Amino acid sequence: MNVNKNIKTVSLKIIYLLCVTLFIYAATSKILDFENFQVHLGQSPLLSIYASWISWLVIVIEVLVAALLVVPKSRTLGLYLALSLMTMFSAYIFILLHFGSFVPCSCGGILEKMSWNAHLIFNLVFVILAILAIGLNRQEKKPEPFNYIFLSSFKPIAATLVTSILAIVLLFVFSEEVMHHRNPFLRRYPQHPAEYSASFKLKHNSYYIVGLRGNRIILGNYEFPSYLMSFDSDLKDQKIQMISFSPGKIPFKNIYITLQEPHFYLYDGSVPVLFRGDAKNWSITKEFEGMPYFTKLVPIDGASVAFRSNNSVKLANVLGVFKIDSIPKINYKRDLLQKQIDGIFDTDGILLYSNGIKKIVYLYYYRNEFIVADQNGTLQYRGHTIDTISKARLKVSTLKGGKQYALSSPSDVVNSKAAVYKNLLFVHSLVRGQYEDETLWQKSFIIDVYDLTKGSYLMSFPIYHTSSSTLNSFAVTQDYLSVIIGEDLVVYKLKNVLKKEITKK
């Protein structure tokens, strides 16, 4: 009998020692690298929005549990808190693995080298040890039959387990709603949604992406607009095409070419002309007669385009739709762009069209807003990027008696570049979010991904600098992302965590 009692006493002391060691080590490692700990919490699919206070709360509870387990009179409370904490950790990992939108990197500390499944097993072992210790502790204080101890301890143990699991479930449900639709500027970085695949040195920084056709990337060159260069997605097969076109006396200044199968489009903007061609043989087949002056343009289909012009009060930007076969051909949508300061610089942005969901998208440069409209330019909704800059931060000066306008102070660009593919909007953001690693921002471009059909934020990922730190343009297709960085063409393959978000419709 004494032997059994000694074994129970030693076992209980060992469990106390293991728990105290675990919680003291965990709390200490978090304190010593607190900023990194907050960064990891800020990137968690479950705890992102709670990172500011949970980071401190977890440390305080871990220290408190260790202290309670050291003092004999408070060990019962300490064991129940330890059970609750380890149950929460276990529930967190289980939800993360089976219901989370992605699985983040390891949280560091004592479990840094473990996989998430190993984390879960490790935590469950301590859950079992805590339950065992609760029973042994009760029997040590007041010797009672095992059956009585089991029955009398079952209710508080079960209540602790259920309450702890329910708390994590509620955090998860509320977190998902806030992150996708009421984001407090917290980015989520899944593990490698886009992985580096190949790169090619272009030797000139005047290239841009005309479009993507199948597995081929087609590039244009501002200095030699009649020549196109294309690569396969591995950047091994290179071809040169020449556009068959005689512009005559049209005073082009900066010709731009864009591809939308089965056509390509050639235009400038400094002159109100637009040509459509056959993308199979790269020859011009039609001119869009009656085009207004425009500053930006995207094709909608073979007979219509969306454009941006300065044909408004005081040269303010306005969006419109041009349809070659309709009367009238030009339909200005003056209610789409919303003036904040001058209507010119504050409404400047990126005009896109998603052929996959048949939507026009306009993304502002200087504020956290984008516009989604149908093919006729009718507003569908106004969405927001996850940063908090809702008003353009710039100063505008009037020159030559109000005939010219110029920026009189450095402007804070929010959204620099963008691309669309089906329901996904990819945005190169220049604004650093909460709990983000400064080193990551110094060596990469951060791309935020939004679902246009839901108007929600999905995730973010980095595109790393090459020999250059200038992102010229990028485009996305079903399987890969192509980007021109300085003089480098780089291909990233999209992984399942990102591809599964692309609509099948």
Side-chain angles (χ1 to χ4, degrees):
M1 199 73 172
N2 290 332
V3 174
N4 290 337
K5 184 177 181 179
N6 290 336
I7 292 174
K8 292 176 182 178
T9 301
V10 171
S11 298
L12 191 55
K13 288 182 178 180
I14 290 174
I15 295 174
Y16 288 148
L17 180 61
L18 288 174
C19 289
V20 170
T21 303
L22 173 64
F23 290 122
I24 288 296
Y25 180 85
T28 303
S29 64
K30 292 178 178 69
I31 292 171
L32 293 177
D33 197 9
F34 183 73
E35 183 177 354
N36 190 46
F37 174 53
Q38 274 199 329
V39 167
H40 282 298
L41 283 183
Q43 296 170 9
S44 164
L46 273 69
L47 304 177
S48 304
I49 65 171
Y50 317 111
S52 59
W53 58 269
I54 278 188
S55 55
W56 287 107
L57 183 62
V58 169
I59 294 172
V60 170
I61 293 177
E62 286 176 339
V63 173
L64 177 62
V65 171
L68 291 173
L69 291 175
V70 170
V71 180
K73 290 184 178 181
S74 59
R75 280 175 178 166
T76 300
L77 176 59
L79 287 173
Y80 276 104
L81 284 177
L83 175 61
S84 177
L85 200 57
M86 298 311 296
T87 301
M88 286 183 179
F89 290 161
S90 301
Y92 166 75
I93 295 174
F94 183 84
I95 293 174
L96 193 70
L97 292 175
H98 295 88
F99 303 101
S101 54
F102 66 92
V103 179
C105 298
S106 171
C107 58
I110 194 171
L111 305 179
E112 183 177 9
K113 304 302 180 182
M114 291 186 184
S115 67
W116 281 109
N117 285 317
H119 284 203
L120 181 58
I121 294 172
F122 181 90
N123 291 343
L124 289 174
V125 168
F126 273 86
V127 169
I128 295 171
L129 289 176
I131 293 173
L132 179 61
I134 289 171
L136 292 175
N137 180 62
R138 183 183 180 93
Q139 195 171 44
E140 186 182 59
K141 288 184 176 181
K142 186 179 180 181
E144 296 170 335
F146 177 78
N147 291 341
Y148 180 79
I149 292 173
F150 175 78
L151 292 174
S152 60
S153 301
F154 176 78
K155 287 185 178 180
I157 289 175
T160 302
L161 294 173
V162 171
T163 302
S164 302
I165 293 171
L166 184 60
I168 295 298
V169 171
L170 291 175
L171 287 177
F172 169 65
V173 172
F174 185 69
S175 176
E176 287 295 286
E177 166 62 21
V178 172
M179 283 298 297
H180 289 307
H181 300 285
R182 294 180 283 123
N183 193 293
F185 202 11
L186 293 164
R187 287 190 171 91
R188 289 181 165 180
Y189 291 93
Q191 293 189 53
H192 313 300
E195 289 186 346
Y196 170 84
S197 176
S199 62
F200 182 87
K201 180 65 71 173
L202 296 171
K203 298 181 180 179
H204 299 281
N205 61 5
S206 53
Y207 285 98
Y208 63 94
I209 298 176
V210 168
L212 305 174
R213 172 192 284 175
N215 71 333
R216 297 201 69 82
I217 307 158
I218 302 169
L219 306 183
N221 191 316
Y222 291 113
E223 295 181 359
F224 305 99
S226 295
Y227 289 88
L228 301 176
M229 183 162 55
S230 70
F231 297 84
D232 64 350
S233 57
D234 294 326
L235 304 185
K236 294 180 179 178
D237 181 39
Q238 177 182 351
K239 294 181 180 179
I240 301 293
Q241 284 104 8
M242 184 174 179
I243 295 177
S244 176
F245 177 56
S246 299
K249 297 182 179 181
I250 300 174
F252 284 124
K253 294 181 180 179
N254 193 22
I255 293 177
Y256 190 85
I257 300 160
T258 188
L259 174 69
Q260 189 192 86
E261 296 278 17
H263 307 293
F264 75 94
Y265 298 80
L266 184 151
Y267 56 91
D268 186 324
S270 61
V271 288
V273 292
L274 170 66
F275 294 91
R276 190 189 73 197
D278 186 345
K280 291 182 179 179
N281 55 20
W282 297 102
S283 61
I284 297 295
T285 57
K286 186 176 184 61
E287 179 180 357
F288 280 52
E289 296 181 354
M291 276 294 299
Y293 279 94
F294 58 90
T295 52
K296 291 184 183 292
L297 180 145
V298 291
I300 294 176
D301 53 41
S304 61
V305 296
F307 67 91
R308 192 191 74 184
S309 175
N310 296 123
N311 185 10
S312 189
V313 179
K314 295 185 178 180
L315 303 178
N317 291 317
V318 61
L319 294 180
V321 174
F322 179 92
K323 295 185 177 182
I324 195 170
D325 297 325
S326 69
I327 299 175
K329 294 181 178 181
I330 306 170
N331 186 3
Y332 288 105
K333 297 294 180 177
R334 302 186 186 277
D335 60 332
L336 289 180
L337 299 183
Q338 294 182 327
K339 173 182 174 181
Q340 288 186 336
I341 300 172
D342 65 323
I344 303 175
F345 296 104
D346 64 343
T347 58
D348 199 4
I350 305 163
L351 181 61
L352 304 163
Y353 180 74
S354 172
N355 194 41
I357 60 172
K358 309 301 181 185
K359 293 290 186 290
I360 300 168
V361 181
Y362 190 84
L363 175 71
Y364 289 110
Y365 281 136
Y366 302 108
R367 57 178 119 154
N368 63 349
E369 186 178 335
F370 60 88
I371 300 164
V372 179
D374 66 14
Q375 292 174 290
N376 297 314
T378 303
L379 178 67
Q380 302 295 291
Y381 71 90
R382 298 182 187 275
H384 291 87
T385 54
I386 59 174
D387 62 89
T388 56
I389 302 176
S390 59
K391 185 174 177 60
R393 301 173 180 173
L394 46 83
K395 292 183 179 180
V396 180
S397 297
T398 303
L399 306 175
K400 296 185 177 180
K403 295 181 179 180
Q404 292 184 7
Y405 299 86
L407 288 176
S408 58
S409 66
S411 56
D412 293 332
V413 176
V414 176
N415 306 303
S416 175
K417 299 286 190 301
V420 289
Y421 180 71
K422 291 190 175 180
N423 61 308
L424 299 188
L425 170 64
F426 297 77
V427 178
H428 171 214
S429 174
L430 298 185
V431 185
R432 182 179 167 192
Q434 296 187 63
Y435 314 120
E436 292 187 6
D437 188 359
E438 185 177 356
T439 303
L440 181 66
W441 277 80
Q442 292 174 348
K443 63 181 181 181
S444 66
F445 312 101
I446 302 301
I447 307 298
D448 298 328
V449 186
Y450 301 85
D451 187 333
L452 292 173
T453 58
K454 299 176 182 177
S456 62
Y457 166 73
L458 295 176
M459 66 187 74
S460 302
F461 62 90
I463 294 176
Y464 291 95
H465 297 169
T466 59
S467 55
S468 173
S469 59
T470 302
L471 177 61
N472 294 343
S473 65
F474 70 97
V476 184
T477 187
Q478 180 73 34
D479 297 309
Y480 59 90
L481 179 149
S482 303
V483 55
I484 296 180
I485 304 171
E487 298 180 356
D488 300 299
L489 173 62
V490 185
V491 172
Y492 281 77
K493 287 187 176 179
L494 304 186
K495 310 305 287 186
N496 286 336
V497 67
L498 182 53
K499 292 171 67 174
K500 72 180 182 180
E501 301 292 347
I502 299 172
T503 181
K504 301 295 190 298
K505 295 181 181 180

